[in-house]
Amino acid sequence: MPFFASIDDAVAKSAVGRWFCLEASGSKKERIGSRFSNELLAGLTTWAAMAYIISVNAAIVADSGGTCVCTDSQSCVNDRAYLACVAEVRQDLITSTAAISALSTFLIGLLANLPVGLAPGLGLNAYFAYSVVGFHGSGMISYGEALAAVFLEGWIFLFLSLIGLRQWLVRIMPQSLVLAVGAGIGFFIAFVGLSPHGLGVVGGDTVNFVAIGGCLPQNFISNELPHYCNGGVLRDPTVWIGIFFGGILTMILMMYRVRGAMLIGILLTSALSWPRSTSFTYFPNTEAGDELFNYFKRVVSFRSLTKVGNALEYNYRNPRVWYALCTFLYVDILDTTGTLYTMAKFAGLRDPITLDFEGSTMAYCVDAFSISMGALMGTSPVTAYIESATGISEGGKTGLTAMTTGVMFFVSIFFAPIFSSIPPWATGGTLIVVGCLMIRNVLEVNWNYIGDAVPAFLTILIIPLTYNVAYGVITGIFTYVLLNGIPLIIKTLTRGRVIPFNYHRADEWIVPPGGILPPWM
């Protein structure tokens, strides 16, 4: 449209356009296809795909009990005073989740010029709440001690980023593994979109682990096993609303190159799901539905961090704090580093020679800083989100996308009742579409040599099945070292006489130019 085209041209020729390397800005690193209006639209799409984390993270971390003190041997499950305190912690965490997501995402866009969203990581928050602190504080260390471990982790990451170690770790990975991580994340995103965290097409199974889902609550095996269907699969109307309006409609709009197709699908599905008179409402006439609807009706809400703000307990003499810290470190360094690298590659920002991406040092520093700031706000480690791929798919190529997402998270602090009420089936179809777009990486994996193919395949397989990028990376690296290290030893000992079949077709492993240290050093 001429109106938007004129705005795009004006912004591109301004200082803003040159800073973010927009198309037609005249910058040496101009990013082809990046237009101001596209970036804003992509940022809204990324935010819509990530908005669920506001309520989900608050619910998970609040299960730890936060700063509430439980003296009951039964974890205070029937203690009304304690449960009221936990409810206040959850309200605090809604604010802190939106706030740290806004800060971290805005900074990575402004300083690193990357279209990536950051927020407290799923998986890491569950480990924080249920394994480290424990349900209602029944774990190995207290909530405050766990936050202190996260706080120190952030500063350790900052040091590793400044000396270039985090960047170097990804750059020295074999290319088949790097490509496999991207494809694995694509499967991961699609699986989340099909799961109860999305459309609900796939549910649990007590024998086969997963099965067809989409049944109504009365068909669950038990209240303790939600989404484990005992019949009546695919009878839940929310599944079909998500499939047709959040999925099929989005895909058709994309086929006709309608701008904002993903955002249109998400918002339309959400709007259809809010009225309580329908069978596919997000606010059913149940106790839980009433609670969600009462919160939704508040529209505007702001709560200060009275329970979780600056709740750190710097008890580093406790060896269990260091155990938690080490676990956070090794999982987070592979998870965040791998996700950031993959998102940058998906956006076309990777240097084909150095195998690094633009703004990598600053991106990792922002991530590290945000981890420590998140601890001060009372939440688990911050990480890069795979949902960033939705905005990239909408054309986001610069930090303006992330800054838009960050601004929307900031607005969400005050309108949390509205924005935390985007139902999971509204974003499920979009996640499947994005997963489809990311799978193309498998075409570039070297399937001709088993030493490259098997590690790549296991990486792709393990990431979605474990719901963890880090575990997939660890599996791939371990397998690659064994399948290529042992033949290398045999080849060396036999002076090249005994080599594997198709050895000449293996990818050559090289150390990229530039060394370990970042350019500024």
Side-chain angles (χ1 to χ4, degrees), residues 29 31 108-109 111-116 118 161 164-172 175 178 333-367 384 392 397 512-513 518-519:
K29 296 183 178 180
R31 298 181 183 178
I108 201 170
L111 302 178
N113 197 19
L114 291 176
V116 178
L118 301 177
S161 301
L165 183 60
R166 291 182 73 181
Q167 300 88 308
W168 185 73
L169 283 175
V170 177
R171 290 169 57 222
I172 64 170
Q175 283 308 289
V178 172
I333 195 170
L334 292 174
D335 195 335
T336 307
T337 305
T339 303
L340 266 176
Y341 186 87
T342 300
M343 292 301 109
K345 183 179 184 299
F346 188 47
L349 304 178
R350 189 185 72 160
D351 189 309
I353 298 175
T354 65
L355 304 182
D356 201 359
F357 61 89
E358 295 179 32
S360 60
T361 298
M362 185 57 70
Y364 291 126
C365 288
V366 168
D367 167 61
I392 296 172
K397 293 178 180 294

Side-chain angles (χ1 to χ4, degrees), residues 22-243:
L22 294 175
E23 184 179 290
S25 65
S27 172
K28 292 181 180 179
K29 296 183 178 180
E30 184 177 297
R31 298 181 183 178
I32 304 302
S34 59
R35 305 290 283 172
F36 180 68
S37 57
N38 277 357
E39 299 298 314
L40 299 186
L41 189 60
L44 291 173
T45 304
T46 299
W47 164 78
M50 289 179 61
Y52 72 92
I53 193 59
I54 297 174
S55 57
V56 172
N57 182 67
I60 291 174
V61 178
D63 276 349
S64 69
T67 53
C68 303
V69 179
C70 176
T71 57
D72 186 350
S73 60
Q74 301 299 318
S75 298
C76 297
V77 291
N78 296 313
D79 188 331
R80 291 188 177 182
Y82 181 81
L83 294 178
C85 179
V86 171
E88 291 185 36
V89 168
R90 183 178 181 278
Q91 295 299 318
D92 278 16
L93 286 167
I94 286 177
T95 300
S96 63
T97 302
I100 191 58
S101 301
L103 175 65
S104 56
T105 304
F106 189 88
L107 286 179
I108 201 170
L110 177 64
L111 302 178
N113 197 19
L114 291 176
V116 178
L118 301 177
L122 283 176
L124 278 171
N125 58 5
Y127 176 75
F128 176 95
Y130 302 121
S131 299
V132 177
V133 184
F135 180 72
H136 286 182
S138 59
M140 57 184 179
I141 58 177
S142 70
Y143 174 75
E145 289 174 327
L147 290 178
V150 174
F151 182 75
L152 183 57
E153 175 205 358
W155 294 114
I156 293 174
F157 271 167
L158 182 62
F159 173 74
L160 295 179
S161 301
L162 286 174
I163 65 173
L165 183 60
R166 291 182 73 181
Q167 300 88 308
W168 185 73
L169 283 175
V170 177
R171 290 169 57 222
I172 64 170
M173 282 179 60
Q175 283 308 289
S176 286
L177 287 186
V178 172
L179 296 166
V181 170
I185 289 176
F187 276 111
F188 186 7
I189 291 176
F191 188 56
V192 171
L194 289 170
S195 75
H197 296 298
L199 295 175
V201 172
V202 174
D205 188 272
T206 54
V207 177
N208 300 317
F209 299 110
V210 293
I212 293 293
C215 57
L216 296 169
Q218 57 263 33
N219 293 120
F220 291 167
I221 291 178
S222 67
N223 292 330
E224 289 73 29
L225 293 173
H227 307 292
Y228 282 66
C229 296
N230 196 26
V233 297
L234 300 181
R235 300 290 179 85
D236 190 340
T238 62
V239 172
W240 297 104
I241 287 295
I243 288 175

Side-chain angles (χ1 to χ4, degrees), residues 279-431:
S279 59
F280 45 82
T281 178
Y282 186 55
F283 312 111
N285 293 309
T286 61
E287 184 177 345
D290 291 339
E291 183 180 345
L292 287 171
F293 189 64
N294 289 333
Y295 183 59
F296 174 75
K297 289 190 298 183
R298 292 165 63 180
V299 182
V300 179
S301 174
F302 176 78
R303 181 183 176 88
S304 59
L305 307 182
T306 56
K307 291 286 185 180
V308 303
N310 197 23
L312 284 71
E313 298 176 20
Y314 301 99
N315 186 18
Y316 293 124
R317 294 182 179 180
N318 184 349
R320 293 182 178 180
V321 173
W322 289 96
Y323 171 79
L325 172 62
C326 291
T327 306
F328 284 137
L329 276 172
Y330 95 82
V331 172
D332 209 10
I333 195 170
L334 292 174
D335 195 335
T336 307
T337 305
T339 303
L340 266 176
Y341 186 87
T342 300
M343 292 301 109
K345 183 179 184 299
F346 188 47
L349 304 178
R350 189 185 72 160
D351 189 309
I353 298 175
T354 65
L355 304 182
D356 201 359
F357 61 89
E358 295 179 32
S360 60
T361 298
M362 185 57 70
Y364 291 126
C365 288
V366 168
D367 167 61
F369 172 76
S370 301
I371 289 173
S372 294
M373 295 305 101
L376 292 176
M377 296 183 193
T379 191
S380 53
V382 171
T383 186
Y385 259 62
I386 56 177
E387 283 82 359
S388 305
T390 58
I392 296 172
S393 299
E394 282 285 8
K397 293 178 180 294
T398 75
L400 287 171
T401 294
M403 291 175 67
T404 304
T405 304
V407 169
M408 290 304 299
F409 270 120
F410 178 74
V411 174
S412 302
I413 297 174
F414 307 97
F415 293 89
I418 297 293
F419 298 137
S420 64
S421 297
I422 294 177
W425 56 86
T427 58
T430 299
L431 295 179

Side-chain angles (χ1 to χ4, degrees), residues 444-455:
E444 301 177 45
V445 173
N446 179 24
W447 300 109
N448 298 312
Y449 178 62
I450 198 168
D452 293 321
V454 171

